[in-house]
Amino acid sequence: MHNSFEGPGAAAARFTGLPATGERRLSGALAEVTLDGGRVVMVKRGEGDRAAQAEAAGLRWLADAGTVRIPAVHGHDEQWLVTDRVATGRPGAAAAERLGRELAALHAAGAPAFGAPPPGGPEDAYIGLAPMRNVTGPDWPRWYAEHRVLPYLRRAVDVGTLRREEVPVIERVCERLPELAGPAEPPARLHGDLWNGNVLWGADGHAWLIDPAAHGGHRETDLAMLHLFGCPHLDRILAAYQEAAPLADGWTDRIGLHQLFPLLVHAVLFGRGYAEQALAAAESATNR
């Protein structure tokens, strides 16, 4: 049993079998550790029960698809996750186009069901610092409403960032999801938290994905997340994706629909401004 007071260096040594020779804290939860021989790994402290387990399972599941680049997992326990470090460079057009094709292949690798967790991953997982339950459902519209949108709608009201009189605006979207969701698609293998900060542009000319909230879902959700906070060369990513795996007609009209979940998560974690964005996305979805 490991010492609950060990630091990142000791955790890295335990999981890699190599002595740690240096340690650089990047935040309260993240550190770079240099190992004997010069290799550098990332050591992350889980912020909640099963957080490290969920992230490790997600990274391995995405890597198993053999498509987009994912840092290797060296090990995890209830407290720590140790992975390879990605040496970063600058965003490039060629890397963006490659990422578009790789995302299409990742999504096509599929999942057992909507809401399915990665193999070995817990049902009670996380998206960022927020709890996220991976509970399966028979079709995307009902699953998305019941297990993504409505739980965070209730939380946003409970924490006071969304007013009770505003709730029907988003509830109406949930009621109309079967008609708004577009053609039915099979469950895709999603990164699940694919905002720009979780895309690392590697010095090797490839884009790498980190910090997943991986699960079975709708492939448009990952692309909507890329839109949410912007991403370098997004037009090239999407063009290459479309060439490899064309999206259903009207997918751009559904971006706001797929952004409802992350916007409500942000409303719970970060305040009223995101609640207002969620309301605007909901109104846009129901008015088209």
Side-chain angles (χ1 to χ4, degrees):
M1 182 178 294
H2 70 275
N3 185 340
S4 61
F5 297 105
E6 75 176 346
R14 181 160 53 85
F15 285 120
T16 63
L18 295 171
T21 59
E23 181 180 309
R24 184 165 75 98
R25 297 276 183 152
L26 303 179
S27 69
L30 191 65
E32 285 183 351
V33 174
T34 303
L35 303 172
D36 189 32
R39 187 173 192 173
V40 181
V41 294
M42 303 300 298
V43 182
K44 185 176 182 179
R45 188 179 69 243
E47 296 289 347
D49 292 342
R50 297 176 297 279
Q53 176 190 354
E55 186 169 339
L59 288 168
R60 287 170 171 147
W61 190 46
L62 299 181
D64 284 348
T67 57
V68 69
R69 279 163 169 69
I70 306 291
V73 175
H74 291 283
H76 72 89
D77 56 22
E78 293 180 359
Q79 184 176 14
W80 299 105
L81 170 67
V82 179
T83 67
D84 274 346
R85 183 195 63 163
V86 177
T88 55
R90 296 179 61 83
E97 291 169 1
R98 192 180 297 115
L99 176 60
R101 294 189 294 271
E102 291 169 348
L103 279 176
L106 174 67
H107 293 160
F114 295 108
E123 183 177 284
D124 293 311
Y126 289 84
I127 179 167
L129 298 177
M132 183 187 80
R133 294 197 73 215
N134 284 324
V135 180
T136 61
D139 64 77
W140 185 79
R142 281 186 290 173
W143 169 83
Y144 185 64
E146 293 174 16
H147 300 297
R148 290 297 182 263
V149 176
L150 292 176
Y152 282 92
L153 177 62
R154 291 190 286 268
R155 286 176 188 234
V157 172
D158 290 343
V159 300
T161 56
L162 196 72
R163 304 182 186 104
R164 292 191 182 277
E165 60 270 23
E166 294 169 328
V167 167
V169 175
I170 293 173
E171 286 181 332
R172 279 194 293 272
V173 176
C174 292
E175 291 165 3
R176 292 185 57 195
L177 265 169
E179 66 179 274
L180 297 174
E185 295 208 358
R189 188 171 306 197
L190 296 192
H191 176 281
D193 192 10
L194 194 59
W195 71 288
N196 178 46
N198 288 339
V199 180
L200 300 183
W201 300 91
D204 61 357
H206 292 268
W208 294 68
L209 303 187
I210 60 169
D211 295 352
H215 62 278
H218 197 300
R219 62 191 180 126
E220 290 177 12
T221 300
D222 266 353
L223 303 181
M225 282 289 289
L226 279 178
H227 277 86
L228 190 54
F229 299 111
C231 183
H233 302 295
L234 181 57
D235 56 339
R236 290 180 179 268
I237 296 172
L238 295 173
Y241 188 106
Q242 282 272 55
E243 186 175 330
L247 295 155
D249 289 346
W251 75 271
T252 55
D253 294 330
R254 296 187 289 272
I255 290 173
L257 191 69
H258 288 269
Q259 290 176 343
L260 266 184
F261 169 53
L263 285 171
L264 287 170
V265 170
H266 278 70
V268 171
L269 295 176
F270 304 118
R272 174 67 186 173
Y274 291 105
E276 291 173 351
Q277 288 186 52
L279 289 165
E283 288 173 345
S284 175
T286 53
N287 288 338
R288 62 179 175 83

mmCIF file of all heavy atoms in Angstrom, residues 52 80 106 169 180 196 279:
data_model
loop_
_atom_site.group_PDB
_atom_site.id
_atom_site.type_symbol
_atom_site.label_atom_id
_atom_site.label_comp_id
_atom_site.label_asym_id
_atom_site.label_seq_id
_atom_site.Cartn_x
_atom_site.Cartn_y
_atom_site.Cartn_z
ATOM 1 N N ALA A 52 -9.102 9.368 -11.326
ATOM 2 C CA ALA A 52 -7.924 8.837 -12.019
ATOM 3 C C ALA A 52 -8.271 7.562 -12.770
ATOM 4 O O ALA A 52 -7.798 7.338 -13.898
ATOM 5 C CB ALA A 52 -6.793 8.589 -11.017
ATOM 6 N N TRP A 80 -3.467 8.950 -7.959
ATOM 7 C CA TRP A 80 -2.567 9.447 -8.988
ATOM 8 C C TRP A 80 -2.806 8.787 -10.346
ATOM 9 O O TRP A 80 -3.197 7.628 -10.430
ATOM 10 C CB TRP A 80 -1.113 9.178 -8.595
ATOM 11 C CG TRP A 80 -0.657 9.836 -7.330
ATOM 12 C CD1 TRP A 80 -0.451 9.225 -6.121
ATOM 13 C CD2 TRP A 80 -0.349 11.214 -7.142
ATOM 14 N NE1 TRP A 80 -0.026 10.146 -5.193
ATOM 15 C CE2 TRP A 80 0.047 11.374 -5.789
ATOM 16 C CE3 TRP A 80 -0.356 12.331 -7.979
ATOM 17 C CZ2 TRP A 80 0.430 12.594 -5.259
ATOM 18 C CZ3 TRP A 80 0.023 13.562 -7.452
ATOM 19 C CH2 TRP A 80 0.414 13.687 -6.113
ATOM 20 N N LEU A 106 -11.686 7.615 -35.131
ATOM 21 C CA LEU A 106 -11.951 7.354 -33.714
ATOM 22 C C LEU A 106 -13.438 7.160 -33.474
ATOM 23 O O LEU A 106 -13.867 6.193 -32.829
ATOM 24 C CB LEU A 106 -11.432 8.509 -32.860
ATOM 25 C CG LEU A 106 -11.768 8.444 -31.370
ATOM 26 C CD1 LEU A 106 -11.047 7.293 -30.691
ATOM 27 C CD2 LEU A 106 -11.429 9.775 -30.686
ATOM 28 N N VAL A 169 -37.327 26.684 -20.813
ATOM 29 C CA VAL A 169 -36.653 26.941 -22.091
ATOM 30 C C VAL A 169 -35.818 25.730 -22.497
ATOM 31 O O VAL A 169 -35.808 25.304 -23.657
ATOM 32 C CB VAL A 169 -35.754 28.200 -21.981
ATOM 33 C CG1 VAL A 169 -34.957 28.401 -23.261
ATOM 34 C CG2 VAL A 169 -36.598 29.433 -21.675
ATOM 35 N N LEU A 180 -35.330 17.122 -33.230
ATOM 36 C CA LEU A 180 -34.242 18.070 -33.444
ATOM 37 C C LEU A 180 -32.890 17.398 -33.687
ATOM 38 O O LEU A 180 -31.964 18.026 -34.191
ATOM 39 C CB LEU A 180 -34.100 18.999 -32.220
ATOM 40 C CG LEU A 180 -35.281 19.899 -31.881
ATOM 41 C CD1 LEU A 180 -35.023 20.625 -30.567
ATOM 42 C CD2 LEU A 180 -35.531 20.906 -33.008
ATOM 43 N N ASN A 196 -10.552 23.046 -26.938
ATOM 44 C CA ASN A 196 -9.220 23.352 -27.435
ATOM 45 C C ASN A 196 -8.116 23.036 -26.427
ATOM 46 O O ASN A 196 -7.029 22.594 -26.800
ATOM 47 C CB ASN A 196 -9.181 24.836 -27.833
ATOM 48 C CG ASN A 196 -7.823 25.278 -28.314
ATOM 49 O OD1 ASN A 196 -7.193 24.604 -29.108
ATOM 50 N ND2 ASN A 196 -7.358 26.410 -27.817
ATOM 51 N N LEU A 279 -29.037 29.029 -22.330
ATOM 52 C CA LEU A 279 -30.391 29.470 -22.676
ATOM 53 C C LEU A 279 -30.449 29.940 -24.132
ATOM 54 O O LEU A 279 -31.401 29.637 -24.857
ATOM 55 C CB LEU A 279 -30.833 30.584 -21.740
ATOM 56 C CG LEU A 279 -31.119 30.155 -20.296
ATOM 57 C CD1 LEU A 279 -31.194 31.376 -19.387
ATOM 58 C CD2 LEU A 279 -32.416 29.354 -20.216
#
